[in-house]
Amino acid sequence: MGEEREGAGEETRIAVVGIIVEKQDAAAGVNEILHQYSKYVIGRMGLPYREKQVNIISVVLDAPADVISAVSGKLGRLPGVSSKALYSKQK
């Protein structure tokens, strides 16, 4: 992954963004937002929960706090999507 992150001198945080997708047609919007911020993504795991017809995604980011907040906020504004960020205490 050796690409340089934008704002290299800016302090970054490690965070997990939890995403619950309840409307299947929201998946394209979720993927578009995650693609926009892909340079900050360390890893991603998605689990389809077919019994409840939802998808659960966790995304680990290493990014400035304002970027993490922007990702979580944009995702949470999509219809049928809930999102929450959990920040590491370590900087």
Side-chain angles (χ1 to χ4, degrees):
M1 279 210 157
E3 68 184 50
E4 196 164 318
R5 297 186 190 276
E6 198 171 285
E10 192 172 357
E11 185 175 291
T12 64
R13 300 282 305 266
I14 298 169
V16 176
V17 177
I19 308 159
I20 298 179
V21 181
E22 298 182 73
K23 292 187 177 182
Q24 298 307 312
D25 58 351
V30 169
N31 285 325
E32 176 60 31
I33 292 168
L34 294 177
H35 179 72
Q36 289 172 9
Y37 293 94
S38 62
K39 65 180 154 192
Y40 299 107
V41 175
I42 297 171
R44 168 182 175 169
M45 179 180 64
L47 299 168
Y49 190 9
R50 290 179 184 89
E51 291 173 16
K52 300 285 185 173
Q53 297 181 351
V54 299
N55 291 297
I56 302 102
I57 304 167
S58 47
V59 179
V60 181
L61 303 171
D62 183 1
D66 61 332
V67 170
I68 296 166
S69 180
V71 171
S72 184
K74 287 180 181 183
L75 289 166
R77 284 192 290 279
L78 293 173
V81 177
S82 301
S83 177
K84 187 80 171 182
L86 174 66
Y87 292 81
S88 167
K89 293 180 182 179
Q90 178 181 334
K91 294 184 180 187

